[in-house]
Amino acid sequence: MKPLTPVAPATRVTLGIAFFVLFVAVWAIATLGGFVPKTFLADPITMVKSGYTLIAEMGFLKDIGMTVWRVLGGFIIAALIALPLGVLMGAYKPIEAFFEPFVSFARYLPASAFIPLLILWAGIGEAQKLSVIFIGSFFQLVLMIAVAVGNTRRDLVEAAYTLGASDSSLVKRVLIPGAAPEIAEILRMVLGWAWTYVIVAELIGASSGIGHMITDSQALLATDQIIFGIIVIGLIGLVSDLLFKRVNRQLFPWAALGK
Amino acid sequence: MANILSVRGISRTFEVAGRAPTVALQATDLDVAENDFITILGPSGCGKSTLLRIVAGLDKQSSGEVLLDGKRIDGPGADRGMVFQSYTLFPWLTVRDNVCFGLRERGLPRQQQLEIADAFLHKVGLRGFESHYPKQLSGGMQQRTALARALANNPRILLMDEPFGALDHQTRELMQELLLGIWESEKKTVLFVTHDIDEAVFMGSRVMVMSARPGRIKLDRAVPIPHPRHYSLKTTPVFAELKAELTEQVRAEVIASQNATTTAS
Ligand SMILES: Nc1ncnc2c1ncn2[C@@H]1O[C@H](COP(=O)(O)OP(=O)(O)OP(=O)(O)O)[C@@H](O)[C@H]1O
Ligand SMILES: [Mg+2]
């Protein structure tokens, strides 16, 4: 193996799947072989069966739908406000000086710690769930977008000015398109984090959603259902990540060149 | 002939926190006439880039003024095109859209932008590469695109800061002929910084040598070789003679600047 040498696409997919297979195999041997008691960890077959029951008889698809809706809702609201603010902060230093210290502070406030407060303010309805996602992703987005925009190569900025660019078209035609692929990467990453917040929000005070199903299963010691729930979250995360990556590559073909 | 560009008593001092300020340029005067091709030589760190950046409006002089067609320069503008040593094509735009950048800024209709861009890309020999992205081009092709991009804007004066500095010797010579050909046919005015004496003599209608820091123009020679020029003239006696003189002059300044740094440290 040579450092940094790329692998063929087919090999990469095979290797990626191979680890999943290995993982499930180890799990199956540990549980079906009787090395781990059933109460602690269900085996893969039971998990798939109870997953089927969950979906077919207990309306789990609706829970999945709710969770996806909450993540996307909260994340999209956060992104819609964070995008213009982050771009402005990256482009205009006085605006950055005004917001940056507060945003840096707010970024470290753990979104999950807000849940009790949010329940007090917004009840246990959807507004509370969306707020958790919003708090968890908004400040991160703003800061990272501002940095991405602010890191635009100075020589490109100067080249644009010598070509007659005005200040506003510098932002529109250089800063934003130059930072766009990185911003798309940031959105992809933070969306991943949003997934971890939604489950926490649903563990406390929710009547639907994947997190709610997991809390319910805990009371019944149904580890098979808990694991199924966790795996579903992982799979949705994986699929959304792949989709995001593909869209990014379609939108910014130039960014992948020479990498 | 009327001057396009007048540099009057320009100086530039860089303040560096915790150290003595650097005087990069001192009381520099320069007059550039229509259709001049001025090449500027000088030791590293003598303020060549600083001078060009001030003319481009990318840096502010500490004193003095720069006049373009009699009007004081205050900030960058499309009337002064610049080609940098580093590759500054916009990586998200194709070659063609890079060349269109300034035209679009002026609000030209798209059809007209494309016509102008394609004409200049043709001139710099990049037909067939219009829809490539910069990362798909060699260094020489990127600099040719940058040249086309600057020319498409039809600037009053073209400022070039070691534009071929990162290119290999052969590519460099081809680029020199290309630029010279364009200058001869387009009747452009050029201010060209280089540290390659051959390049300075071959390209320039006037060659200037700057002194060690603090920089000022210490020598200004007309190049007594008619245009159009062919690369074979690099072996003629006139060329060799001027080159020998300039080599002496530049060498003296390089030694002076090295002595200055050794005594300073
Ligand atoms: N932004 C800056 N801050 C502080 N000092 C600077 C700055 N820019 C340039 N200088 C200093 O000014 C002097 C002249 O720099 P300049 O880049 O103009 O030199 P140059 O003649 O172009 O050199 P080279 O041939 O190596 O490109 C140098 O001593 C440099 O250290
Ligand atoms: Mg320089």
Side-chain angles (χ1 to χ4, degrees):
Chain A
M1 275 193 283
K2 265 187 160 348
L4 303 182
T5 319
V7 295
T11 322
R12 205 178 59 200
V13 172
T14 317
L15 285 174
I17 291 173
F19 189 77
F20 273 99
V21 172
L22 184 70
F23 180 83
V24 173
V26 171
W27 173 22
I29 292 168
T31 47
L32 294 172
F35 299 103
V36 182
K38 262 195 150 40
T39 2
F40 290 127
L41 188 61
D43 60 78
I45 299 172
T46 321
M47 191 273 300
V48 172
K49 275 189 196 146
S50 61
Y52 178 78
T53 324
L54 272 177
I55 290 175
E57 292 164 24
M58 295 160 77
F60 187 49
L61 284 182
K62 202 181 139 260
D63 283 314
I64 297 179
M66 278 313 283
T67 303
V68 171
W69 183 88
R70 286 170 184 152
V71 175
L72 290 184
F75 180 76
I76 288 172
I77 297 172
L80 283 180
I81 308 177
L83 272 170
L85 184 60
V87 169
L88 284 176
M89 280 171 63
Y92 298 101
K93 295 306 150 190
I95 300 183
E96 181 169 41
F98 184 62
F99 287 113
E100 205 261 355
F102 181 82
V103 175
S104 293
F105 154 77
R107 166 166 90 120
Y108 283 104
L109 306 177
S112 36
F114 274 90
I115 294 175
L117 263 185
L118 289 171
I119 292 179
L120 205 62
W121 294 337
I124 55 167
E126 294 311 304
Q128 176 249 337
K129 309 285 179 299
L130 295 181
S131 311
V132 174
I133 308 289
F134 181 87
I135 292 176
S137 41
F138 175 73
F139 299 106
Q140 307 280 359
L141 280 175
V142 169
L143 271 194
M144 291 164 78
I145 292 172
V147 170
V149 172
N151 276 346
T152 306
R153 277 168 54 194
R154 284 295 174 273
D155 54 352
L156 295 187
V157 172
E158 294 187 337
Y161 275 131
T162 61
L163 289 167
S166 64
D167 291 330
S168 67
S169 67
L170 182 84
V171 176
K172 270 186 293 208
R173 299 188 58 202
V174 179
L175 300 189
I176 292 178
E182 209 185 324
I183 292 178
E185 270 305 294
I186 292 169
L187 291 173
R188 183 175 73 85
M189 239 167 60
V190 176
L191 178 61
W193 301 346
W195 268 97
T196 61
Y197 300 127
V198 76
I199 303 304
V200 180
E202 288 178 349
L203 289 177
I204 308 168
S207 51
S208 63
I210 301 177
H212 170 251
M213 184 281 284
I214 291 177
T215 351
D216 271 4
S217 309
Q218 188 198 10
L220 306 169
L221 287 181
T223 52
D224 47 350
Q225 296 188 8
I226 297 182
I227 293 171
F228 184 73
I230 293 173
I231 288 180
V232 166
I233 297 168
L235 286 179
I236 299 176
L238 184 68
V239 169
S240 87
D241 214 59
L242 286 177
L243 281 179
F244 228 116
K245 267 191 193 153
R246 173 157 304 178
V247 171
N248 286 359
R249 221 165 324 153
Q250 291 276 322
L251 284 178
F252 312 111
W254 58 273
L257 294 173
K259 269 216 186 118
Chain B
M1 230 188 314
N3 287 333
I4 286 194
L5 183 80
S6 304
V7 173
R8 300 250 170 277
I10 287 285
S11 74
R12 176 68 168 103
T13 308
F14 289 104
E15 307 286 347
V16 187
R19 265 192 288 144
T22 311
V23 183
L25 274 181
Q26 202 175 46
T28 302
D29 292 314
L30 172 65
D31 284 311
V32 182
E34 189 94 41
N35 207 21
D36 261 350
F37 196 127
I38 296 186
T39 49
I40 301 177
L41 287 164
S44 182
C46 73
K48 305 182 295 291
S49 297
T50 306
L51 173 64
L52 226 57
R53 289 173 55 80
I54 289 173
V55 174
L58 296 172
D59 197 354
K60 279 257 182 300
Q61 63 271 27
S62 308
S63 66
E65 59 178 2
V66 180
L67 304 174
L68 183 75
D69 290 320
K71 279 205 291 287
R72 212 188 139 103
I73 282 174
D74 185 33
D79 47 4
R80 284 147 292 144
M82 180 121 175
V83 181
F84 301 79
Q85 176 175 5
S86 63
Y87 301 132
T88 57
L89 296 181
F90 303 113
W92 57 92
L93 296 178
T94 60
V95 165
R96 181 185 271 132
D97 282 325
N98 261 285
V99 179
C100 286
F101 189 94
L103 304 171
R104 184 165 156 206
E105 198 57 37
R106 273 195 317 206
L108 248 58
R110 181 73 181 160
Q111 195 51 42
Q112 213 174 329
Q113 290 177 26
L114 292 180
E115 272 164 33
I116 297 175
D118 286 354
F120 278 103
L121 282 171
H122 184 52
K123 269 193 194 114
V124 299
L126 281 178
R127 212 155 43 162
F129 290 93
E130 292 88 347
S131 12
H132 281 56
Y133 285 102
K135 279 193 190 137
Q136 297 170 311
L137 302 181
S138 70
M141 289 158 101
Q142 293 197 40
Q143 288 307 69
R144 277 188 271 166
T145 311
L147 178 62
R149 183 176 70 174
L151 287 169
N153 248 4
N154 194 22
R156 286 291 283 146
I157 184 167
L158 200 55
L159 310 170
M160 307 183 84
D161 191 357
E162 304 195 34
F164 311 146
L167 305 179
D168 67 81
H169 190 72
Q170 281 74 26
T171 313
R172 203 181 165 110
E173 296 207 312
L174 290 177
M175 293 289 287
Q176 292 169 2
E177 287 183 80
L178 177 85
L179 176 59
L180 210 51
I182 290 175
W183 174 77
E184 281 158 2
S185 65
E186 302 270 315
K187 301 270 166 271
K188 285 286 160 202
T189 307
V190 181
L191 207 54
F192 187 103
V193 166
T194 175
H195 59 247
D196 180 335
I197 297 173
D198 263 26
E199 185 168 86
V201 178
F202 179 61
M203 312 269 291
S205 57
R206 274 165 76 196
V207 185
M208 299 191 179
V209 177
M210 283 179 71
S211 69
R213 203 176 65 223
R216 54 193 310 166
I217 288 159
K218 82 161 201 187
L219 183 97
D220 178 350
R221 281 268 179 291
V223 181
I225 304 172
H227 288 275
R229 293 179 184 171
H230 187 252
Y231 70 92
S232 59
L233 71 83
K234 288 188 183 175
T235 51
T236 60
V238 193
F239 190 93
E241 203 176 302
L242 186 53
K243 186 181 162 184
E245 187 198 347
L246 292 168
T247 309
E248 272 316 305
Q249 295 282 352
V250 172
R251 200 180 133 78
E253 292 311 319
V254 171
I255 290 168
S257 78
Q258 272 173 0
N259 288 343
T261 35
T262 36
T263 42
S265 57

